[in-house]
Amino acid sequence: MPRNVPLPSECAELDGLMRRHGDRARFRTLTRVDVGTRSLPLVAVEVGSDDERAPTMIVVGGVHGLERIGARVVLSYLRTVLEALRWDEPLRRSLEHARMLFVPVVNPGGIALGRRSNPRGVDLMRNAPTADSWESTPLVGGHRISARLPWYRGDEPGEVEPETRALLDVIGHHAFESERALSIDVHSGFGLQDRLWFPYARTRQPLPNLAELGHLFERFDATHPNHVYRVEPQAQAYTISGDLWDHLYDEYRRAQPSGVFLPLTLEMGSWTWVRKNLRQLTSREGPFNPKAPHRERRIRRRHFTLLDFLWRCVCSPAPWHAWTPQERAEAHQRAFARWYA
Ligand SMILES: [Zn+2]
């Protein structure tokens, strides 16, 4: 491992936000990750109500060190929220009863080293202590063969990396008491289209909250009919073992059987950027990040409509609980026909 690695610009950006807005949000260092001579903080930022039962939106980025643009999208939204808090009365009021939790840079060591995994070679998105797939899973879905290969899950089942532990603990602490919670984890990968994935990742079976999830996206389609996303179960692309969101979803359900937690992953389609700039394939930052500054700015703001929509859902009780059993069964059937039939 190199001794001198540059400070990731995303860590510097987060530090700048803490200096400027430290009085408006609760910044907390969850753990530190050592890379060469550097010790990089893994930081969570909590905004709004500190009531443990408050509805919660969780926004996560930078799980994979090669997908830096994901961290930058999260940082951009965090900056907008913190600035708006100076003057935006409706936002301030909504935050009296609900909360946002940001973990913008989950894998600072991977970003510093320019690799997908953490510094120990573990793919954090394959590192959950449970959630093994029982369906046939390709190499990309996680393996324990060698840390030299991508998608490595770690040596021992049940053992988790410090970054994974920090993320699981902070979400457990802030969301497992909430009666409703939503999360969005921002990645950047192959393909031309921006995709929204939902659990399960380990199996092609539908998740127990398919009705609520289908209903959420029916509302999204109706409210934003020109949105850009393709919505699908993660496992439709490929199944994964050790997916953090599968694990957190199951744990939440154990802790809060009558509540609802909907974890989403935004997989930004980076091929459009590659197509427009082939040099990106050989970029030092890897192929999954836009190279041109104007393109980066466009992507930094592109998902604000989605994030605002998710926040309004978190703040609005009616869509989550105003169900008769009949309505819920019908919503389940529609969602099943949309994604699983
Ligand atoms: Zn990723």
Side-chain angles (χ1 to χ4, degrees), residues 64 67 116 123 125-126 133 135-142 151 187-190 195 197-198 200-204 232-241 243 246 265 267:
H64 289 136
E67 302 163 21
R116 174 184 170 93
D123 185 332
M125 199 34 77
R126 311 283 185 273
S133 179
E135 296 177 13
S136 89
T137 296
L139 203 64
V140 59
W151 315 300
H187 290 248
S188 157
F190 290 107
R195 284 157 203 266
W197 280 337
F198 58 85
Y200 285 116
R202 67 171 182 268
T203 172
R204 292 179 181 81
E232 59 194 12
Q234 154 85 56
Q236 213 145 295
Y238 50 88
T239 51
I240 290 176
S241 275
D243 183 272
D246 274 18
T265 296
E267 184 83 6

Side-chain angles (χ1 to χ4, degrees), residues 51-58 98-101 174-175 178 180-183 261 311 314:
D51 180 347
E52 248 130 62
R53 289 156 306 168
T56 304
M57 177 167 88
I58 302 154
R99 158 175 65 216
M100 298 181 187
L101 174 71
H174 285 100
S178 304
R180 55 180 190 271
L182 260 174
S183 65
F261 172 38
W311 175 243
V314 164

